[in-house]
Amino acid sequence: MTDPALDTATGPAPGAETDSEALRTRALASLRTARDRTTLLTSCVEEPDLTAQHSPLMSPLVWDLAHIGNQEELWLLRAVGGREAMRPEIDSLYDAFEHPRSERPSLPLLAPAEARAYASEVRSRVLDVLESTALHGTRLTEAGFAFGMVAQHEQQHDETMLITHQLRSGPRALTAPDPDPVPLFTGPAEVLVPGGPFTMGTSTEPWALDNERPAHVREVAPFWIDTTPVTNAAYRAFLDDGGYEDPRWWAPDGWNHIRRHGITAPLFWRRDAGQWLRRHFGATEAVPPDEPVLHVSWYEADAYARWAGRRLPTETEWEKAARHDPATGRSARYPWGDADPAPEHANLGQRHLRPAPAGSYPAGASPLGIRQLIGDVWEWTASDFLPYPGFAAFPYKEYSEVFFGPEHKVLRGGSFAVDPVACRGTFRNWDYPVRRQIFAGFRTARSAAPGAI
């Protein structure tokens, strides 16, 4: 069932203004916020760090910088504005599907100064297009979609560049205040989510991407889900119990992977004199026990859940826990309701360079009291990345469609590195189950006993 009326957030979503000037203001603010962050991430290191490949999993930072400008030119200047191409000869260099990351350092990329100048000139012209474009009439321009898509794209690459900063060697280049300390969370360890139907996905969120659409009803059996993400302290119990040495807990492919690569702990962790330490943006620190565990693969999350006698939630369960209000039957945009994220709701936007302690942000809890579903860490789910019933690729199939299938697992919720423009209750992320460099953690679930609500 895919009736758009099932998208039960009442009225236009906040940020879904129908007034053209309000839409322009929102688009402009989103583009500027993204560019400010890009500038920070590419100005805090010297040129050798911009042109180096710090991991074969990642592009040189200078590639991301010019790619951001190139995608903005393709979609906003050419597709929306009808302008002639500025630099058609570089299109293939910055086509992510033509050149895998491992090849990008060998390409004749724009030098840092040239990449900055190119991205800046593109942006200058885009502001003229934004001022003169009617934000309705076509699918690309309706409610400013193309401008929102480009802002989300830049923020997604900003998160990628932040991952590169974590992978690079050398001293810390970025600083940010830590999240506010909170008392140790002593609430219930898990919450019962009642069974029944709920509306998944969206047909009304104006800047939602194609894989979030359309809204449709899902029937969900009752289940229990962790109130907070799994912490470092809880994960250490798995380590101390020999979890990485016991094949009982691992999917066969996961067991083969960790044995072949000698993986014995989350990425960046090491044991020294009986203490677990980790490398964190150029500094070494003791692993904070109360923070959600970070830099674990899907295989590691799945193994922990099995060891704990639980499982990972399905993507459908996760979204019901995050959006459904049992008292009203509505699916809201976020756990706390329909309002755009504010600092009291979630740890987003690189305000901090780490997750907040488990149990933080009570104002961002779901109606059932589940915390930190948005922000802090991406959360692995049990589900493969698949299309919703009625899915239609837009505006290009390479955004989502080419990734559908069992090779990719879904992550939900966003991390401290995600900007609010690229994070909502319907937003879907995906990656290979071996990936550990991403800012991913997890929470666990279990099926409710027969007869539960």
Side-chain angles (χ1 to χ4, degrees), residues 20 36 54 107 136 180 197 290 295 308 350 387-388 394 418 430 445:
S20 292
D36 288 346
H54 298 283
L107 300 174
H136 58 81
D180 292 336
D290 299 333
H295 297 302
Q350 201 181 310
Y388 290 160
F394 178 78
V418 174
W430 64 93

Side-chain angles (χ1 to χ4, degrees), residues 118-434:
Y118 168 63
S120 178
E121 179 61 24
V122 170
R123 175 56 58 85
S124 177
R125 300 185 190 191
V126 161
L127 297 184
D128 291 338
V129 171
L130 176 60
E131 185 62 29
S132 60
T133 297
L135 301 183
H136 58 81
T138 71
R139 288 190 68 188
L140 268 182
T141 58
E142 188 66 37
F145 173 81
F147 297 93
M149 178 184 73
V150 166
Q152 290 177 82
H153 173 265
E154 182 162 355
Q155 288 286 3
Q156 288 168 326
H157 276 271
D158 288 339
E159 182 177 11
T160 298
M161 289 193 285
L162 188 63
I163 292 169
T164 301
H165 275 278
Q166 168 64 8
L167 288 164
R168 63 179 284 275
S169 59
R172 181 188 295 270
L174 295 165
T175 59
D178 286 343
D180 292 336
V182 298
L184 182 67
F185 181 71
T186 57
E190 60 179 355
V191 171
L192 176 63
V193 179
F198 93 105
T199 301
M200 187 172 186
T202 180
S203 297
T204 60
E205 185 74 30
W207 290 0
L209 304 171
D210 59 4
N211 63 64
E212 302 171 63
R213 301 173 181 271
H216 58 287
V217 169
R218 293 281 181 98
E219 185 76 27
V220 183
F223 65 97
W224 294 87
I225 192 166
D226 291 339
T227 310
T228 71
V230 171
T231 64
N232 289 319
Y235 198 85
R236 278 183 56 185
F238 173 60
L239 284 171
D240 293 343
D241 196 44
Y244 281 78
E245 286 77 49
D246 193 335
R248 288 182 298 164
W249 314 127
W250 297 82
D253 287 348
W255 179 250
N256 292 336
H257 179 75
I258 69 162
R259 305 309 286 180
R260 183 166 62 251
H261 295 278
I263 295 171
T264 59
L267 186 61
F268 306 116
W269 285 32
R270 64 180 175 87
R271 198 168 180 84
D272 183 59
Q275 182 182 25
W276 282 106
L277 306 175
R278 72 177 181 188
R279 184 164 59 83
H280 183 72
F281 291 106
T284 298
E285 63 181 23
V287 172
D290 299 333
E291 282 185 13
V293 68
L294 193 63
H295 297 302
V296 290
S297 68
W298 183 90
Y299 288 128
E300 289 168 291
D302 178 65
Y304 172 94
R306 293 170 191 256
W307 169 82
R310 298 171 68 81
R311 58 177 174 81
L312 296 178
T314 66
E315 181 184 15
T316 303
E317 288 173 334
W318 189 97
E319 187 168 325
K320 182 168 187 180
R323 297 184 62 212
H324 184 68
D325 184 348
T328 64
R330 293 185 62 250
S331 288
R333 298 175 71 216
Y334 298 98
W336 55 86
D338 293 335
D340 286 337
E344 66 270 19
H345 292 136
N347 181 8
L348 294 167
Q350 201 181 310
R351 296 197 314 271
H352 312 294
L353 288 172
R354 62 175 68 244
S360 297
Y361 303 105
S366 75
L368 293 172
I370 308 165
R371 300 196 184 189
Q372 293 168 288
L373 285 157
I374 299 292
D376 287 305
V377 295
W378 286 107
E379 297 185 16
W380 288 109
T381 73
S383 299
D384 298 335
F385 184 48
L386 299 172
Y388 290 160
F391 167 83
F394 178 78
Y396 58 106
K397 69 180 182 179
E398 289 83 7
Y399 181 74
S400 303
E401 186 175 324
V402 298
F403 297 102
F404 289 145
E407 296 85 5
H408 295 92
K409 295 294 185 181
V410 174
L411 302 105
R412 287 303 207 104
S415 72
F416 64 89
V418 174
D419 187 81
V421 76
C423 183
R424 49 196 161 262
T426 57
F427 192 92
R428 307 172 76 195
N429 191 8
W430 64 93
D431 215 325
Y432 293 110
V434 298

Side-chain angles (χ1 to χ4, degrees), residues 36-53:
D36 288 346
R37 187 176 176 197
T38 300
T39 300
L40 170 65
L41 290 163
T42 56
S43 64
C44 62
V45 291
E46 300 297 327
E47 183 166 326
D49 273 328
L50 292 175
T51 57
Q53 185 176 44

